[in-house]
Amino acid sequence: MTINLSDQDKNTLPIAGQDRPELRKAIEEIVESGFVGVSLRVNDERGAWAGSAGVAELGGTAKPPVNGHARIGSNTKTFTATLVLQLVAEGKIELDTPAADYLPEFGLDRRIMVRMLLQHTSGLFNFTGEVYDDGSIVHGIPVPYGTTGKEWVDNRFHTYRPEELVRLALSKPARFEPGTGWSYSNTNYVLARLLIEKVTGRSLAEEMQQRILGPLGLSGTVVPDASPEIPEPHTHIYYRYEDAGRHKTIDITRHNPSWVSTGGDMISTSQDLHTFITALIGGKLLPTPLLAEMCTPRATGIPNFEYGLGVIVQKTDCRGTVITHNGGTVGSTTLMYITPDGSKTMTAVLNWVADADMSIATTVQNAQQRLVNEVFCGEQADPAQPAG
């Protein structure tokens, strides 16, 4: 598919002289609520605006870079789903064919269709662990949360291979029969990566570069695989934990992201995320029928949270609709929102000091809702009263 970006698509720099005091106030108040740094980018009928608040590094005075690099977490899933659907458009993959036909080496349940991987309806165990309705927890690999936080810190440069993560997941009981429920599982998207690599004969990074990153000019976006590096500039992320009775706070900006793999390992910038989601919803990456399938929501059982194929469809507090995904990684979350007509986007990066207890989780949710209300609802919703 040939991609042609208009000058408007490329215009992601703040307009000279334009000020958005309501946006600047929002990010400054979010920092005051407990964040290290926040950067925000908005493109709407008033043009483009970007700004940041807080600091790029604890103990420093420099603000976070307005277009710094960040670990984008599960926004990776939207990129990956787009790539799979491009292969569907070319007839190399079929959504309603058993995933086992493409990946016979894993002995997958033949009732698991490719569509179910992108939709999180496969029932496959999440290799980063499962929390069940009765509160019980079944651990997968060590993660930065709960009882495995210290173990994750000690092993944060360890390399996991995708096949290893899938086999771990398959060694655990499925959460439900394929197609009978919905449950967010990173395992689905590691299988999607392996599926891409199997049918193309090339690495995910190569395919992503050729099909999406290169054509869109996303020079700040990286598929890191097992590399712990993150390009400059970036805001630092931190982790606080207890070791031998003492509390320590360490810089974990560099860590090996292979522990989450294609469930959330990519690096990008707010400008690149704006360009990507605008091109995607604008029909520049997928044929219209497949884009429509991607954005057709399915109930998940979670209020105001419906999932398509690698995207979330949500109602705002002012009863509008946004297409999003967002991605949380340890100490950071990256937001990516767009209206269905593509007229308004918001991308943001929030950084904080993480801990095993996820003590800032509610604050993060409130900050996210505050930004959505400010950008997509304006005066129609009270930004001082974020939803919890």
Side-chain angles (χ1 to χ4, degrees):
M1 178 177 290
T2 301
I3 301 170
N4 296 308
L5 289 181
S6 67
D7 291 339
Q8 184 178 359
D9 292 322
K10 298 173 183 175
N11 180 21
T12 55
L13 295 177
I15 294 174
Q18 182 190 31
D19 193 20
R20 301 285 289 269
E22 76 284 3
L23 299 180
R24 191 164 297 284
K25 179 183 178 184
I27 60 176
E28 288 172 352
E29 290 181 353
I30 286 170
V31 166
E32 290 170 5
S33 72
F35 290 82
V36 174
V38 176
S39 63
L40 172 68
R41 180 176 299 273
V42 174
N43 288 69
D44 59 15
E45 67 280 356
R46 294 173 59 183
W49 183 91
S52 69
V55 293
E57 191 169 3
L58 287 179
T61 57
K63 282 188 173 184
V66 168
N67 198 42
H69 296 84
R71 299 189 184 277
I72 65 171
S74 287
N75 285 303
T76 301
K77 293 181 172 74
T78 308
F79 281 87
T80 305
T82 301
L83 212 165
V84 170
L85 292 172
Q86 288 182 339
L87 294 169
V88 171
E90 295 170 9
K92 296 177 180 176
I93 294 174
E94 293 184 3
L95 283 174
D96 295 312
T97 291
D101 286 0
Y102 302 100
L103 298 167
E105 62 270 32
F106 294 110
L108 294 169
D109 187 324
R110 290 193 57 78
R111 294 173 294 173
I112 298 174
M113 304 299 158
V114 172
R115 181 188 303 275
M116 295 177 188
L117 301 180
L118 303 185
Q119 204 172 49
H120 292 300
T121 55
S122 70
L124 289 170
F125 180 88
N126 185 357
F127 64 80
T128 51
E130 292 278 12
V131 179
Y132 290 89
D133 293 340
D134 62 0
S136 62
I137 297 173
V138 178
H139 292 290
I141 63 166
V143 294
Y145 312 111
T147 59
T148 61
K150 173 65 164 55
E151 188 178 354
W152 180 87
V153 166
D154 292 342
N155 292 280
R156 67 187 183 278
F157 295 105
H158 175 77
T159 295
Y160 293 92
R161 298 315 309 159
E163 297 83 358
E164 176 187 1
L165 299 174
V166 170
R167 294 193 186 282
L168 169 64
L170 294 175
S171 72
K172 307 284 188 176
R175 186 148 187 157
F176 48 78
E177 298 289 307
T180 64
W182 187 91
S183 183
Y184 194 86
S185 175
N186 291 305
T187 306
N188 292 317
Y189 275 79
V190 177
L191 282 165
R193 167 191 174 165
L194 295 171
L195 175 59
I196 291 165
E197 294 179 339
K198 177 65 72 74
V199 301
T200 64
R202 305 203 316 161
S203 71
L204 174 70
E206 290 172 317
E207 286 295 310
M208 195 74 75
Q209 181 63 40
Q210 178 180 321
R211 292 172 174 274
I212 298 176
L213 308 187
L216 292 181
L218 305 185
S219 59
T221 303
V222 179
V223 180
D225 193 30
S227 171
E229 306 304 328
I230 180 169
E232 295 282 359
H234 57 259
T235 300
H236 289 246
I237 54 177
Y238 299 91
Y239 191 80
R240 181 175 57 245
Y241 68 105
E242 187 174 316
D243 184 21
R246 296 178 57 196
H247 289 281
K248 294 184 177 180
T249 298
I250 60 171
D251 188 320
I252 55 163
T253 310
R254 292 180 70 255
H255 67 262
N256 188 329
S258 66
W259 68 277
V260 70
S261 189
T262 326
D265 63 353
M266 286 177 66
I267 294 166
S268 191
T269 67
S270 64
Q271 179 174 323
D272 275 9
L273 290 178
H274 158 73
T275 301
F276 166 68
I277 196 65
T278 300
L280 174 62
I281 300 305
K284 295 182 171 70
L285 293 173
L286 294 174
T288 300
L290 281 175
L291 178 61
E293 281 205 64
M294 185 182 207
C295 297
T296 298
R298 176 191 174 97
T300 63
I302 301 171
N304 194 28
F305 184 97
E306 296 185 320
Y307 205 90
L309 303 177
V311 295
I312 298 162
V313 182
Q314 285 183 330
K315 292 291 184 185
T316 64
D317 286 354
C318 52
R319 295 175 294 282
T321 299
V322 288
I323 296 169
T324 179
H325 201 291
N326 301 332
T329 65
V330 55
S332 179
T333 194
T334 305
L335 311 182
M336 180 175 68
Y337 287 86
I338 190 168
T339 52
D341 65 358
S343 65
K344 183 177 293 188
T345 67
M346 179 187 81
T347 54
V349 180
L350 294 80
N351 297 83
W352 64 87
V353 180
D355 57 36
D357 296 330
M358 295 173 40
S359 58
I360 199 173
T362 299
T363 306
V364 172
Q365 291 171 3
N366 289 344
Q368 180 174 320
Q369 192 62 45
R370 166 78 185 271
L371 290 176
V372 171
N373 283 346
E374 193 68 63
V375 172
F376 294 96
C377 295
E379 296 178 356
Q380 300 174 63
D382 182 356
Q385 299 296 326

